[in-house]
Amino acid sequence: MSGRRGKLTVVALAVLSLLISLADWGFGAVWPSLAALILVFSTRNVLMGLFGGALAGALILAEGRLWEVPLQLVEEHLLPNFASPWKSGAILFTLILGGFVHLLERGGILQAFLGKLLHGRSRRRVEAGAGLFGLVCFFDGLANSLMVGRLFQPMAALAGVSRVRLAYIVDTTSAAVACLAFISTWIAYQLAMIKEGYLLAGREELAEPYRLFFASIPHNYYAWFALILMGMTIWRQWDFGPMAGMREGPGPGREAVAGPVGKLPGLWRAWVPVAVLLGVVFGGIYLDGTSRLGSGALPLSWNKLALSFAEANVPAVLIVGSGTAAFLAWIFFPGNGKTEGDKAGAVFLEGMVQLFKPVLILVMAWMLSSTLNALEAADYLGDLLGDRLPGSLFPLAVFFTGALIAFTTGTSWGTMGLLMPLAIPLGFSIHASPGEAIQSMPMVVGAVFSGAVFGDHCSPISDTTIVSSMACGIDPMDHVRTQLPYALLAALGAAVAGFLPAALLDGKAFWFPLAVLFFGTSVYGLTLISGNRASKA
């Protein structure tokens, strides 16, 4: 039934797009975005939605001349993306880092390390170990879910940690950590979408994606609050909602969580490539940026560091850093000889293939943005809204919109691809001066990220939601049902304690620690009111 409904939706949207292209209706500038949203909601397929939106935009630009649409779509909205150093760099970095993460996962070193580290630990400590390991695996949300879930499921069962609770911990440290991390398979996509938003706003000269990403980190309130809530529930051993009735008793050997405790293999095989990745990326950006600024690398200063991130060729540095780290991970892959080398190469390629779909989403988002730019959608929205939307409430509205889109579609990348190219231009349009818009932009970007992470965290059709549940051995809907109250509590905190007061204070930096303190104290108070004390186990 859903497939038939999706086909009917595609046909109806195609007819409407043709009518809009012929009739020259006023809202044609934003129709591609609306068509993309409708398609994503009805088909649950973000690739189809983004491509359908781009196709609708090309049809309007061709003024109904159907025979021109395919050539125009490829020639003007697809191929130019690969000519851009920034965009081609984003694609290469994402694929290379995907292979690198898969090498670390399949190497088996981390499994042995955790087995020794958590031998004989209590329920709370096993949960804390899963949470901390999730923070360490910041490279990729999906790989995070797979690794943490698979590694900790046997230990959690022996310690008496319920599988739904482990799935909640695993899922919380996937998208939230990957979205906050400055080195991840997400970062190239995030930077590309920020740059796309500035391009659509006609402010490309002001675009400093990496610096704006860093400035948005304190305003990614949902990601921070979700992690704080997870930490508080582990510390206080607090369950509420459906989760409270699904505690499991300890399995055999509760007093000693068993695991491989023999001699550890060379742990340096995993940590050296990670350290090299971080060192090359940060060192490379700083050295390249200061070289382009014409200033020496020394003496080091915060101002010089910030300017270097704005001036450096970040995509090129990311490719060099990820390529170097991946090469070391391949060299250090456990074993030696030709057979193991071939196996490492196959593992690397497998990791790259796993990220092929996200890369397609990235390309489709660029195509949609290109048609919106040609239709001058940002100018239309700015004229339409004018002074109707108070600038102080705009980040909160962006967060709610992103949360709705992400929950309904189950994709954080698709949400960023749909919303960021509209939110940034609209943010410039609704403010009285460019200075005010620039000041609010970190909150706007943080709101897009927060809304995207919320949906990725708790949507029943999100890939990380499904993978987290499968890695922990439970049904996806049991995971959604038990995790949703926690996600909603973090979202409420993000709105009430985060975006609203931060916007009213014009994004003042001092509010972030106060918001964290307020939310953490509130959650602690809830654990006291509920009477659910920490387990003595």
Side-chain angles (χ1 to χ4, degrees), residues 441-463:
M441 212 47 65
M443 282 187 291
V444 173
V445 173
V448 173
F449 292 155
S450 283
V453 171
F454 170 81
D456 202 50
H457 187 196
C458 59
S459 172
I461 57 174
S462 164
D463 54 356

Side-chain angles (χ1 to χ4, degrees), residues 295-337:
S295 61
L298 297 175
L300 178 65
S301 66
W302 285 111
N303 184 58
K304 190 184 293 185
L305 183 63
L307 291 175
S308 67
F309 274 83
E311 293 295 326
N313 188 346
V314 175
V317 176
L318 289 175
I319 291 172
V320 172
S322 59
T324 305
F327 178 73
L328 289 176
W330 178 75
I331 293 294
F332 297 155
F333 195 75
N336 51 60

Side-chain angles (χ1 to χ4, degrees), residues 217-232:
I217 289 177
H219 297 292
N220 195 342
Y221 290 106
Y222 177 80
W224 286 113
F225 288 179
L227 293 172
I228 292 170
L229 178 59
M230 180 200 71
M232 192 68 70

Side-chain angles (χ1 to χ4, degrees), residues 128-345:
L132 289 174
F133 191 62
L135 296 179
V136 171
C137 297
F138 55 83
F139 298 109
D140 177 72
L142 201 59
N144 182 311
S145 299
L146 286 168
M147 285 193 289
V148 180
R150 287 202 299 238
L151 291 175
F152 278 85
Q153 186 184 352
M155 290 176 275
L158 290 170
V161 178
S162 68
R163 286 174 291 178
V164 290
R165 188 169 171 86
L166 176 64
Y168 160 65
I169 295 170
V170 168
D171 205 353
T172 301
T173 59
S174 58
V177 173
C179 189
L180 290 169
F182 40 80
I183 298 294
S184 72
T185 53
W186 287 43
I187 188 64
Y189 184 85
Q190 291 170 299
L191 298 180
M193 289 299 99
I194 292 172
K195 193 174 183 68
E196 200 70 26
Y198 271 81
L199 175 65
L200 288 172
R203 306 279 180 172
E204 191 175 10
E205 74 283 356
L206 300 176
E208 298 176 1
Y210 223 126
R211 185 156 66 170
L212 184 54
F213 170 80
F214 276 113
S216 75
I217 289 177
H219 297 292
N220 195 342
Y221 290 106
Y222 177 80
W224 286 113
F225 288 179
L227 293 172
I228 292 170
L229 178 59
M230 180 200 71
M232 192 68 70
T233 58
I234 293 174
W235 174 41
R236 297 289 299 165
Q237 288 292 286
W238 184 45
D239 292 328
F240 68 97
M243 185 87 75
M246 302 187 72
R247 280 274 187 180
E248 294 179 5
R254 162 66 188 86
E255 65 283 353
V257 179
V261 293
K263 184 179 179 181
L264 284 176
L267 193 60
W268 58 270
R269 295 173 184 268
W271 298 126
V272 167
V274 173
V276 169
L277 171 67
L278 298 176
V280 170
V281 167
F282 276 99
I285 289 176
Y286 180 71
L287 292 175
D288 184 56
T290 52
S291 173
R292 293 172 187 271
L293 286 169
S295 61
L298 297 175
L300 178 65
S301 66
W302 285 111
N303 184 58
K304 190 184 293 185
L305 183 63
L307 291 175
S308 67
F309 274 83
E311 293 295 326
N313 188 346
V314 175
V317 176
L318 289 175
I319 291 172
V320 172
S322 59
T324 305
F327 178 73
L328 289 176
W330 178 75
I331 293 294
F332 297 155
F333 195 75
N336 51 60
K338 185 176 185 302
T339 302
E340 287 76 11
D342 292 342
K343 181 181 178 182

Side-chain angles (χ1 to χ4, degrees), residues 441-508:
M441 212 47 65
M443 282 187 291
V444 173
V445 173
V448 173
F449 292 155
S450 283
V453 171
F454 170 81
D456 202 50
H457 187 196
C458 59
S459 172
I461 57 174
S462 164
D463 54 356
T464 51
T465 300
I466 295 170
V467 169
S468 296
S469 61
M470 292 175 61
C472 296
I474 61 172
D475 182 79
M477 290 313 299
D478 284 339
H479 174 43
V480 172
R481 182 170 57 89
T482 53
Q483 178 173 261
L484 188 58
Y486 295 83
L488 291 174
L489 179 58
L492 178 64
V496 175
F499 291 110
L500 184 58
L504 295 176
L505 291 169
D506 295 325
K508 294 294 190 298

